[in-house]
Amino acid sequence: MAYYILQTIDTKLSGYIDAIHTDTDSLTPYNFITDRHTGFFRSRVPFSFLFTKFKADEEYPFEIRMLSPDFRMEAKLNREEFEKLVLPRPLHRHDTYELMYIIDGELYQKIENSRHRYIKDSCCVINRSVRHAEEYVSDFYSLNISLSEDYFKEMIVEGDETVFAAEKKYPDTDLTQFISEEFVEETHSAKKFIDFIPLKDSSNVINQYVQKIEELILSPHYGSSILIKAYLYNMLVFLNNKTCYRTEPMKIGTAAEDELFAKVSWLIEKTDGRISRTELSEQLNYSGNYINQIVRKFTGMNIFEYGTSIAMKKAEYYLSSTDHTISEIISLLNFTDRTHFYRLFEKEFGMTPKEYRKNLNSR
């Protein structure tokens, strides 16, 4: 059984992972709200640091360490607990801004409808509207820095007291444009993020800032809050350096499009993918063509392809988790053409439903 340690200014707890939710929910800096489709982290603190280490071949493949003002937590998960508690998590978003930095290894992350690869020293800055989730397919050691909206705005905009002439004009970079859109133009409802690709070894610089902040969190003293802001600001200035990083800004849809896609997804999943473009149009009062455009923007698939993927996932569930016959499954999913169902299933899984179930039973 895996183990955790949690410490706040008033409390110190330790115990087994299976008790962590009941013991620590009221103490951790985050609330995690989830359903089948998405997850949402709500922060209670101005900033937090989350170190995540994944090593596939280890007995305890997953380790986390979280730091925030007057709080720290460490946890190790064995393979069974990792597969139960971490792997099933859906795409999620935060009510904070997030800076992800790869300390070592290689991390693949799904961001909305696309997959991104991050190598050592690379970074990603994500706004509060973007859904994302790590993929545990390669070893990595990462740091996620979460900054609340008020804290980030105070640090970057309200706390920007310049006294030198050279400071009066912001450099024209993707990061400064991102900040301007978020806090000056207030277009933060759009899904935006920036990938930072290292042009040279930057680990010493970033790690020094991280180490200094970590020391201040663990052993705070008068003035620590100001120093932490200064180190965070320096990290952003370093990322803004075009000789150190190449940037790739990304923007995905709007808040209204995100809301519509959530409704479309709910209807498609509720009907196990067996709903037509016309039926979606009638229920949502949008044209079928527009709904199709939204689905393609968020998934890379059209309505039929997305619905089919949902139907095949449900078929896979029935095959692996129930005793329903294949004929019963076809009926439950409202397919009238057995040959059509078989063709779709083979395209999705590379084998027939009968072969799929046989492979499961032989494991």
Side-chain angles (χ1 to χ4, degrees):
M1 182 71 70
Y3 201 72
Y4 76 90
I5 299 173
L6 179 148
Q7 184 171 338
T8 71
I9 192 169
D10 300 315
T11 308
K12 183 171 182 179
L13 298 172
S14 61
Y16 294 115
I17 287 295
D18 62 350
I20 191 169
H21 295 297
T22 56
D23 287 350
T24 68
D25 269 356
S26 63
L27 301 173
T28 58
Y30 274 110
N31 281 334
F32 183 60
I33 304 165
T34 186
D35 58 24
R36 288 192 307 146
H37 315 300
T38 190
F40 180 66
F41 283 95
R42 180 177 290 121
S43 176
R44 299 187 179 105
V45 292
F47 65 86
S48 65
F49 279 46
L50 176 65
F51 297 86
T52 304
K53 186 178 291 186
F54 175 70
K55 288 194 174 183
D57 295 333
E58 298 288 333
E59 180 182 357
Y60 293 86
F62 183 80
E63 296 181 31
I64 60 168
R65 185 162 56 94
M66 181 180 287
L67 301 172
S68 65
D70 297 324
F71 173 91
R72 73 177 181 90
M73 183 180 77
E74 300 175 18
K76 281 187 176 184
L77 275 65
N78 63 31
R79 189 164 307 281
E80 180 182 351
E81 290 151 342
F82 165 71
E83 292 176 354
K84 177 183 176 182
L85 299 174
V86 179
L87 281 186
R89 279 190 175 178
L91 287 172
H92 63 271
R93 64 184 181 90
H94 304 249
D95 68 345
T96 61
Y97 293 88
E98 188 171 49
L99 188 156
M100 179 190 71
Y101 172 65
I102 307 303
I103 300 171
D104 201 8
E106 176 183 67
L107 169 64
Y108 286 87
Q109 181 161 225
K110 186 174 183 182
I111 301 180
E112 295 293 348
N113 63 332
S114 59
R115 189 176 190 241
H116 294 251
R117 173 177 174 261
Y118 297 94
I119 61 172
K120 183 177 182 289
D121 291 337
S122 61
C123 295
C124 181
V125 173
I126 300 175
N127 81 351
R128 296 172 299 143
S129 298
V130 175
R131 296 178 308 157
H132 55 285
E134 295 79 6
E135 293 186 4
Y136 297 91
V137 295
S138 56
D139 294 353
F140 68 86
Y141 183 30
S142 67
L143 166 63
N144 290 72
I145 302 174
S146 295
L147 306 174
S148 73
E149 180 186 14
D150 290 342
Y151 186 82
F152 197 18
K153 187 174 183 179
E154 180 184 318
M155 183 177 77
I156 297 295
V157 181
E158 297 171 357
D160 186 22
E161 299 178 358
T162 56
V163 295
F164 297 99
E167 297 178 283
K168 300 300 180 183
K169 185 178 179 180
Y170 277 118
D172 182 17
T173 66
D174 292 324
L175 180 57
T176 53
Q177 179 64 29
F178 175 92
I179 292 169
S180 175
E181 290 177 354
E182 290 293 310
F183 298 116
V184 180
E185 300 171 30
E186 295 191 349
T187 58
H188 49 261
S189 61
K191 297 174 180 288
K192 297 192 293 287
F193 64 98
I194 306 176
D195 284 343
F196 294 82
I197 297 91
L199 300 176
K200 56 185 179 181
D201 187 353
S202 307
S203 57
N204 286 340
V205 177
I206 298 290
N207 286 334
Q208 283 178 11
Y209 292 139
V210 171
Q211 184 178 349
K212 292 291 185 182
I213 294 172
E214 188 175 353
E215 290 172 357
L216 289 167
I217 294 174
L218 293 174
S219 301
H221 53 75
Y222 187 78
S224 291
S225 297
I226 295 174
L227 289 172
I228 288 172
K229 277 187 181 178
Y231 287 128
L232 287 169
Y233 198 99
N234 277 330
M235 287 177 66
L236 295 175
V237 170
F238 185 73
L239 290 175
N240 222 17
N241 189 329
K242 292 182 178 181
T243 66
C244 298
Y245 282 94
R246 175 171 61 85
T247 54
E248 292 185 359
M250 308 283 182
K251 184 175 180 179
I252 309 169
T254 64
E257 290 172 336
D258 187 41
E259 182 178 355
L260 176 57
F261 177 69
K263 292 177 180 177
V264 172
S265 295
W266 183 80
L267 286 170
I268 290 177
E269 296 199 19
K270 180 184 177 183
T271 58
D272 294 328
R274 308 297 289 158
I275 186 170
S276 69
R277 180 189 297 202
T278 301
E279 290 169 324
L280 286 171
S281 178
E282 290 173 350
Q283 293 194 44
L284 296 171
N285 295 316
Y286 286 93
S287 75
N289 286 338
Y290 181 65
I291 294 173
N292 198 54
Q293 290 173 13
I294 294 298
V295 171
R296 187 176 290 279
K297 176 179 283 190
F298 281 85
T299 69
M301 298 178 278
N302 61 32
I303 291 174
F304 174 77
E305 292 167 337
Y306 184 48
T308 298
S309 71
I310 299 298
M312 293 303 101
K313 285 180 182 177
K314 194 60 178 282
E316 180 189 24
Y317 165 77
Y318 283 138
L319 287 168
S320 61
S321 304
T322 74
D323 294 326
H324 290 312
T325 66
I326 295 172
S327 294
E328 288 172 338
I329 292 171
I330 292 172
S331 177
L332 285 167
L333 294 176
N334 294 315
F335 280 89
T336 56
D337 187 333
R338 185 183 182 93
T339 302
H340 180 54
F341 173 81
Y342 266 71
R343 185 165 59 247
L344 293 175
F345 192 91
E346 285 188 67
K347 184 178 179 181
E348 185 79 13
F349 296 103
M351 63 185 76
T352 67
K354 183 177 180 180
E355 290 169 338
Y356 186 88
R357 178 168 270 174
K358 184 178 180 180
N359 284 346
L360 285 175
N361 293 334
S362 64
R363 289 178 185 174

